[in-house]
Amino acid sequence: MSDQPRRPRDAADLTRRRLVAGTAAAIGLAMLDRGVLGQAAAPPVHSRPLGRSATAVGVRAPNERIQRVVGGALHEISMTPLQDLHGIVTPSDLHYERHHAGVAVIDPHQYTLLIHGMVDRPTVFDLAALKRFPAVSRFHFLECSGNGESAYRNMRRDQSPQLVDGLTSTSEWTGVSVATLLREVGVQPRATWFLAEGGDAGLMARSIPVEKARDDAMIAYAQNGDALRPEQGYPARLLLPGWEGNTNVKWIRRLEFADRPFMTRDETSKYTDPLPNGTARMFSFVMDAKSIITFPAFPATLTDRGWWDVTGLAWSGRGRITRVDVSTNGGQTWSPAVLQQPVLPKCHTRFSFPWKWDGREAVLMSRATDETGYVQPTLAQLRAARGTGTRYHFNNIRAWHVGGDGSVTFRADG
């Protein structure tokens, strides 16, 4: 007699008998349809030989070959495989990266952070000094301001969520509040901006309003319980929750306070967004509400009709996600998805939606709303506001086409 788990003989019939009203019940039945539950006896023993010994650093299971996609002319970007992740936290080694002059190598024993300009007590902090202040830890997403460009122009159907929107990730960040450092150095009342300058070869520099520093800015030195990865700014970076990634200056080495923005190269020739009327958006810091379905999505294929769990991520730089709606008919009608806890401000939020596929073609979309009432726009709405030459903040609705054969491809005309 076989000791393998036994599936129900007719999972579809079982699903229909147990179908009851309510989203939670539907989600559970979707799992039944996919053969997750069975009437098994004792599970099989898969490894009778003695297992291997512990190692100093853990490794993934050999069958888990999850990887980032590396791109850019100088390999200056890598993209998080959103379609392969669970929950909201991105493993540190899969966090997206974007740098402008390579990954800086900084000796933590030589690292310093200078705070000067319009302050009463110009001060140089080393890493040990920063760690003597009370630490704060929070979950926040980061997102490159150019994330999602392929969903706005040059659309290809053979793109996965990783290639469409893989320049965003969520981590638990730990560090010292910038507001604490402001009190330590005595920022003068006339100071309204500060310059954040990195220690990389390009001296990445952005002007930041002081209100953000007093609100929730952090000098982060840890990520997901570990020291920052080199590509995330080791040994310390500026973290500005909800703001475009380039303002979260890595390898932070200097904060200079002043009564006006500094108009650096990185905020004039770069990260200024041309508009169709000939003007440009400057200091467009906040990342707008956005969402993407991560399953089903290319290159997945639905193997049979029945219940499937449509899932994805939503986020907003303005606060919490309050609602995600899903459409299975190309935007003709919408229904609310379930938001998986925790739902945190300026953090990825996982959503799910039970969908019974009847085997016919379908177009799946998701639409996020945040606590300010902002609603993720359609592609047409965003193009009307920003024109075709815009380069940043591509937060339009994404769509996935499900073919009659179950194949799923990208379709960016939501």
Side-chain angles (χ1 to χ4, degrees), residues 107-357:
D107 181 349
H109 302 293
Q110 302 298 318
Y111 171 79
T112 59
L113 171 64
L114 166 65
I115 302 182
H116 66 136
M118 298 178 70
V119 301
D120 294 334
R121 297 174 292 280
T123 306
V124 175
F125 299 92
D126 61 20
L127 190 60
L130 291 174
K131 291 181 177 179
R132 290 184 64 178
F133 290 101
V136 294
S137 295
R138 294 194 299 266
F139 291 87
H140 289 300
F141 79 87
L142 274 180
E143 183 179 17
C144 176
S145 58
N147 192 33
E149 183 177 10
S150 62
Y152 196 79
R153 62 172 70 93
N154 303 322
M155 289 84 79
R156 295 194 342 251
R157 296 173 65 85
D158 59 344
Q159 296 186 99
S160 66
Q162 179 175 24
L163 293 180
V164 174
D165 273 318
L167 293 176
T168 183
S169 309
T170 279
S171 290
E172 182 194 40
W173 305 96
T174 298
V176 55
S177 168
V178 175
T180 298
L181 299 178
L182 263 57
R183 289 191 292 272
E184 186 72 11
V185 301
V187 172
Q188 297 169 4
R190 292 192 299 110
T192 52
W193 291 79
F194 70 91
L195 177 75
E197 183 180 77
D200 57 334
L203 294 179
M204 177 75 187
R206 291 298 313 264
S207 302
I208 308 297
V210 169
E211 311 92 82
K212 183 63 174 176
R214 299 189 191 282
D215 180 15
D216 57 1
M218 176 194 306
I219 300 296
Y221 47 74
Q223 175 186 11
N224 295 333
D226 197 3
L228 289 181
R229 297 285 170 131
E231 60 267 29
Q232 295 305 322
Y234 179 83
R237 71 177 301 165
L238 179 64
L239 188 77
L240 302 177
W243 285 23
E244 58 185 23
N246 66 82
T247 63
N248 293 255
V249 177
K250 296 186 283 191
W251 313 288
I252 188 74
R253 73 169 202 145
R254 188 163 71 93
L255 305 181
E256 180 180 355
F257 286 81
D259 58 0
R260 69 197 67 181
F262 290 77
M263 309 303 284
T264 70
R265 174 199 61 190
D266 296 305
E267 57 201 19
T268 52
S269 69
K270 307 291 184 184
Y271 302 115
T272 288
D273 204 11
L275 296 176
N277 63 2
T279 63
R281 291 201 318 157
M282 289 193 73
F283 305 122
S284 53
F285 297 122
V286 178
M287 301 306 293
D288 301 310
K290 187 173 179 179
S291 67
I292 182 171
I293 291 171
T294 56
F295 182 87
F298 181 84
T301 297
L302 301 185
T303 54
D304 55 20
R305 302 178 184 185
W307 288 101
W308 292 89
D309 187 27
V310 178
T311 186
L313 295 169
W315 61 96
S316 173
R318 293 185 172 84
R320 287 181 173 81
I321 290 294
T322 56
R323 182 184 181 98
V324 176
D325 293 298
V326 170
S327 174
T328 60
N329 54 17
Q332 298 178 48
T333 59
W334 296 85
S335 300
V338 175
L339 302 185
Q340 178 179 313
Q341 296 295 325
V343 178
L344 303 171
K346 305 172 186 177
C347 184
H348 283 170
T349 296
R350 173 71 61 178
F351 66 87
S352 64
F353 179 81
W355 174 51
K356 191 172 187 179
W357 183 47

Side-chain angles (χ1 to χ4, degrees), residues 20-40:
V20 295
T23 299
I27 292 174
L29 291 172
M31 300 301 288
L32 279 175
D33 252 6
R34 291 161 66 175
V36 174
L37 300 181
Q39 300 175 14

